[in-house]
Amino acid sequence: MASKVIHAIYNDDDLLLQAVKQVREARYHIGEIYTPFPVHGLDKVMGLAPTRLAITSFLYGVVGLTVAVVMMNGLMIQDWPQDIGGKPSFSFLQNMPAFVPIMFELTVFFAAHLMVITFYMRSKIWPFKKAENPDVRTTDDMFLMEIDAAGHDVDGLTKFLYDTGASEIKLIEK
C-alpha cells in the first residue's frame, strides 16, 4: 500500500510558523519542513527536542586542547628543548604563557573542523549525494510542509491547509 503525503507550500515564514501551530493543534503529523533559510523558532513550534551539538563541540574543543598540550610538551619540553628568548625549557608550566595562543588555536581548529564533519554525517550529506528536496522553489523563496495524509480525509485536510494560508497544495503518492 502506497503512503500519501501532502505538500503544502507557503510564501512567508511567519505564515508557516502559524500554520505549523495550527496543524499540530489539529493533531496532524508533520513529516518534514523545507525552508530556504533557517526559520527562528520553528524547532520549538514543531516540538523538536533540543540538539546536543553544543556538547559535542565542547568535547571536540577539549580534544583539541589535549592534543595541543601533549604536542607542545612532547616537542618543546621533552624531545627537543631549546632556549628561545631566555625562557626555561625544562618545565611546561613555566612556558605555558607562551603556549596559550597555540592551545587556543588548536582548540578552535579541532572544534570547528570536527563539527563540520559531524554536521555532514548527522545530516547524511555525503559527497555526490543526490538532493532530496521535493520542490526546487524551497531553495529560493518558498516554504514546504510535508504532512502525512494516511488515515485522514484528504479533502478535509486540503481545505484545512488552505485555511492556514497555504498558497499551493499537492497530494504525493510515495
Side-chain angles (χ1 to χ4, degrees):
M1 181 173 150
S3 64
K4 295 179 183 180
V5 293
I6 291 182
H7 288 173
I9 297 178
Y10 296 87
N11 56 12
D12 185 40
D13 56 337
D14 293 328
L15 194 61
L16 174 73
L17 281 174
Q18 292 301 320
V20 169
K21 287 179 188 176
Q22 293 172 3
V23 168
R24 285 201 35 141
E25 286 172 3
R27 304 274 189 226
Y28 293 114
H29 175 69
I30 299 172
E32 189 67 60
I33 295 182
Y34 298 90
T35 63
F37 54 84
V39 177
H40 180 70
L42 185 60
D43 54 343
K44 288 186 175 103
V45 173
M46 286 184 65
L48 298 177
T51 181
R52 295 182 301 255
L53 286 177
I55 297 168
T56 307
S57 179
F58 174 75
L59 293 176
Y60 291 156
V62 169
V63 168
L65 180 65
T66 304
V67 167
V69 169
V70 169
M71 179 188 72
M72 288 182 301
N73 187 49
L75 294 176
M76 300 297 290
I77 306 300
Q78 304 296 325
D79 186 38
W80 195 341
Q82 297 178 28
D83 184 7
I84 301 173
K87 292 182 175 72
S89 60
F90 54 83
S91 171
F92 179 79
L93 290 177
Q94 289 177 336
N95 281 313
M96 191 158 46
F99 293 156
V100 167
I102 298 166
M103 292 188 295
F104 172 76
E105 290 298 331
L106 279 179
T107 300
V108 172
F109 179 84
F110 270 68
H113 285 79
L114 292 175
M115 279 304 297
V116 167
I117 293 168
T118 301
F119 172 75
Y120 285 147
M121 289 174 60
R122 180 74 176 101
S123 301
K124 297 179 182 154
I125 302 175
W126 314 113
F128 311 110
K129 182 176 191 276
K130 187 176 182 254
E132 296 178 3
N133 197 351
D135 193 329
V136 295
R137 294 177 294 171
T138 60
T139 62
D140 187 25
D141 62 347
M142 294 295 193
F143 304 86
L144 187 141
M145 183 186 334
E146 184 178 271
I147 301 165
D148 184 18
H152 296 291
D153 174 31
V154 175
D155 293 331
L157 180 56
T158 302
K159 182 183 178 323
F160 173 74
L161 290 172
Y162 273 124
D163 291 342
T164 63
S167 60
E168 182 180 328
I169 296 175
K170 294 180 186 174
L171 179 63
I172 308 292
E173 299 273 342
K174 282 193 171 183

